[in-house]
Amino acid sequence: MAAKMAPSLLSADFSRLRDEVKRIEEHGAAWVHLDIMDGHFVPSITIGPPVVKALRPHTALFMDAHLMVSDAEKQIGPFVEAGADLLTVQAEATAHLDRVLRKIKDQGIKAGVALNPATPPEVLEYVWPLLDLVLVMSVNPGAGGQKFIPAVLPKIKAVAAQIKARGLSVELEVDGGVNRDNAREIIEAGATVLVAGSAVFKAENGMAMIREVSSYGR
Ligand code: DX5
Ligand code: ZN
């Protein structure tokens, strides 16, 4: 199975997001990763539904919205309306994971759960039937450009094994500190979607990484 790349706009030039989305599309991206921060679950504030809505008509890319927000339940409607294809919520941000996931699925789009580096995959135990994606965070959420935490590699393997054992078609996304040097190892551990922000938008020849990584595992 080939891996998909989901470049994160967090490291793009925010003054010209429409062009940046076009650029990753031309370089072979399958998805675009949108990091939504609310200044509460994490200290930073990034973008909200109006920006997602503004970009929607300009791209055919699958819009993968990663909600690093405290009250995801309230934000589901606005992001669905804005055109997101998938909403991923942080497991740590809600006491009502089942309810939030059902609410996303009820809107007819895909649902994912993100796990912080210290969060065990056992939180997924009773929500597997509601999942289209599991996002294993390989940095602590809040900022781009951090270093990959190798201690999450066994968790990637454990989640991949669960998906296989249950016979599910759930994507396994890895987010944080992904670059040319570690992408292959992360895919070998079981990732099917790799997020990369600074490695795509800020590194030399970063755009070429999209096609390179998309060919791994083929
Ligand atoms: C971190 C975000 C990531 C981040 C990835 O809070 O969820 O998506 O932008 O950026 P890099 O690839 O630079 O670690
Ligand atoms: Zn993210």
Side-chain angles (χ1 to χ4, degrees), residues 33 35 66 68 175 195:
H33 186 81
D35 284 306
H66 175 194
M68 287 162 277
D175 182 7
V195 177

Side-chain angles (χ1 to χ4, degrees), residues 1 29 43 55-56 77 112 117 126 186 188 193:
M1 257 285 275
L55 291 173
R56 181 71 284 182
Y126 302 105
I186 298 166
E188 278 166 10
V193 186

Side-chain angles (χ1 to χ4, degrees), residues 31-32 34 52 55-56 59 61-65 82-86:
W31 291 15
V32 55
L34 305 159
V52 176
L55 291 173
R56 181 71 284 182
T59 181
L61 292 178
F62 182 88
M63 283 185 150
D64 161 29
D85 294 295
L86 169 119

Side-chain angles (χ1 to χ4, degrees), residues 46 96 102 141 149:
T46 53
H96 305 288
R102 280 180 201 279
I149 299 171

Side-chain angles (χ1 to χ4, degrees), residues 6-11 33-37 42 66 68 90 135 137-148 174-179 195-200 202:
S8 163
L9 288 190
L10 192 58
S11 295
H33 186 81
L34 305 159
D35 284 306
I36 314 298
M37 305 186 189
V42 291
H66 175 194
M68 287 162 277
Q90 289 281 154
L135 199 183
M137 288 302 296
S138 40
V139 297
N140 288 291
Q146 303 180 74
K147 237 175 100 63
F148 182 86
V174 175
D175 182 7
V178 175
N179 57 40
V195 177
S198 43
V200 166
K202 299 222 164 120

